[in-house]
Amino acid sequence: MKKILYIFCCIAVLILFFTHPAAVALGCSAGLNLWYTAVLPSLLPFLIVSSLLVGTGLFRYLNRFYAPPLSRLLGISQEGCYAVLMGFLCGFPMGAKVTADLVREEHISIDEGNYLLSFCNNVSPAFFLNYICLAKLGCRSVPWPLVGVFYAVPLLYGFFTRPLRHFQRETGQTAKQASLHRIDFPMLDACIMDSFATVTRLGGYIILFSILTRLSTLLPLGTSASVFLGALLEISGGIDGIVLSATDISSVLRTSLVCACAAFGGFSICAQTRSVIADTPLRLRSYLAGRIVITLLTLLSVLLLPTAAPALRDCW
C-alpha cells in the first residue's frame, strides 16, 4: 500500500510539473534566490571553518569558554557542546552537520550524536530576529521574551530528555582524538570541497521544496489546509502563508503558529538533515521525534506567554 501511494504521489507531481511550467519556474526562481542570497553567503563560511576546527581538533580551545557549565547542565561530553553551540547559533542544518562531523571523526559516540541531533538543530537567531520577528510579524522592536522562549524550549527539551539517554559523558573516542592536527593544503582542500558539496545539496533541496510549495497552491484545498501543507513543506513559504492568511486571528495565535513553523523547519529541513548525516550511523527518527515534540511545546509556550506575563503582550 505504501509503495502504491508513493508511486501515485510521484506521478501526480510529474503531471503538475509538465502541466504547470510557469509555477515550476516561479518556485525554482524563488528557491534559487533564497539559496544564493541567504543560505550560501551565511552558511558556507561556517561550514568551511567548522570542518577545519573539527578536522584539526582546534574546536576544543573554543570549548574552554562555554563547555564546562554546558557539559554539566546537559550531561554531555565537552566535544558535544560544540554541536550545541553551532546548532543554536548558525541555523539549520548546521547543528546536524557538526554532530555528523563529530561522530564521523570519533570525537563523540553515536548515542550522544543521536541525543544532540534531537534538539540542537535550530533556526539561527539572525533569521529568527530579522526575518521572522521584524519582517514577518511586524514587531516594533526585538521581542526578547519571545526569543528567549523560542530557544529555551529546545534547550529544556534536551535537559529533561537526557535521563532517558544512556551514554557516558566522556568516551574512549575522546581520548583517542585528543592530539591536534596541523592544517595543510590537502585538509583545506577537503574541507572546502566538502562544504561546497554540502551547500550545493542543500540548494537542491531548497529549490525542490520551493517548487513543491508553489505547486501545492494549485491543489483544490481550503485556505487552512493549503497553509498547513505549505508549513509542512518549507519554512519560509510556510511562514509567508501563515502571515498572509491569518489576518482574522489574534496576534498571539498568529505568532504561535509562525514560531511553531520555524521550530519544525519543514520537510525541506528534514531532507537537508538526512543529507548531511547520510554517511553516519545517526538516525533521522531521533531528529524527527525531537522536532515534533519541540514544535508542539513551542506552540503551547508562545500561546501561554502573554497569559503568564501580561506585560509582555505588547512585545508583538
Side-chain angles (χ1 to χ4, degrees):
M1 185 64 183
K2 290 182 178 180
K3 186 176 181 180
I4 295 175
L5 181 61
Y6 174 76
I7 294 174
F8 174 79
C9 291
C10 290
I11 293 174
V13 170
L14 285 175
I15 291 174
L16 289 174
F17 265 63
F18 285 108
T19 56
H20 297 83
V24 173
L26 287 174
C28 182
S29 177
L32 183 60
N33 182 66
L34 176 64
W35 176 76
Y36 181 73
T37 61
V39 177
L40 181 64
S42 64
L43 195 58
L44 182 60
F46 288 105
L47 286 170
I48 296 174
V49 172
S50 179
S51 295
L52 285 172
L53 290 175
V54 173
T56 59
L58 288 172
F59 72 95
R60 290 193 180 88
Y61 286 94
L62 186 63
N63 281 356
R64 293 178 178 179
F65 298 98
Y66 64 89
L70 192 59
S71 176
R72 289 192 293 269
L73 176 66
L74 296 175
I76 58 177
S77 64
Q78 294 201 6
E79 286 77 7
C81 294
Y82 179 64
V84 177
L85 176 71
M86 300 300 285
F88 275 83
L89 292 183
C90 300
F92 293 127
M94 198 63 189
K97 179 66 168 63
V98 172
T99 301
D101 288 342
L102 292 174
V103 170
R104 191 182 300 110
E105 297 291 333
E106 298 185 336
H107 290 294
I108 62 175
S109 67
I110 298 172
D111 290 336
E112 183 175 358
N114 281 315
Y115 166 68
L116 294 172
L117 193 63
S118 68
F119 72 95
C120 73
N121 198 33
N122 302 286
V123 168
S124 70
F127 181 84
F128 186 77
L129 291 174
N130 297 322
Y131 182 79
I132 296 177
C133 294
L134 300 180
K136 294 303 176 181
L137 293 178
C139 299
R140 296 182 292 273
S141 59
V142 176
W144 292 112
L146 179 64
V147 176
V149 168
F150 184 81
Y151 287 101
V153 169
L155 193 61
L156 289 174
Y157 173 83
F159 175 78
F160 285 110
T161 58
R162 177 61 179 92
L164 304 177
R165 307 283 182 151
H166 304 288
F167 61 86
Q168 297 297 321
R169 182 184 302 182
E170 302 292 341
T171 65
Q173 289 95 337
T174 302
K176 177 181 176 181
Q177 297 289 332
S179 60
L180 297 178
H181 300 279
R182 185 180 61 183
I183 297 178
D184 52 26
F185 281 107
M187 176 184 290
L188 182 60
D189 288 344
C191 291
I192 292 175
M193 292 306 298
D194 177 67
S195 299
F196 267 103
T198 299
V199 80
T200 302
R201 287 200 304 270
L202 300 185
Y205 284 115
I206 291 171
I207 293 171
L208 174 61
F209 279 90
S210 180
I211 294 173
L212 293 177
T213 301
R214 179 73 62 169
L215 291 176
S216 69
T217 61
L218 304 174
L219 299 176
L221 302 173
T223 302
S224 299
S226 179
V227 170
F228 179 73
L229 180 59
L232 285 180
L233 288 174
E234 202 268 328
I235 180 173
S236 59
I239 291 173
D240 287 343
I242 293 172
V243 171
L244 292 175
S245 63
T247 56
D248 56 344
I249 63 176
S250 68
S251 61
V252 174
L253 179 57
R254 181 169 60 251
T255 301
S256 303
L257 293 174
V258 167
C259 289
C261 178
F264 181 65
F267 290 137
S268 175
I269 298 299
C270 293
Q272 294 173 39
T273 300
R274 178 66 182 86
S275 174
V276 298
I277 67 172
D279 59 343
T280 70
L282 295 174
R283 301 187 300 270
L284 184 63
R285 66 172 178 263
S286 297
Y287 168 78
L288 283 174
R291 280 299 104 188
I292 292 172
V293 175
I294 289 171
T295 299
L296 295 175
L297 291 176
T298 299
L299 177 65
L300 183 62
S301 299
V302 178
L303 273 175
L304 296 178
L305 182 60
T307 303
L312 302 179
R313 184 178 293 273
D314 294 332
C315 286
W316 57 83

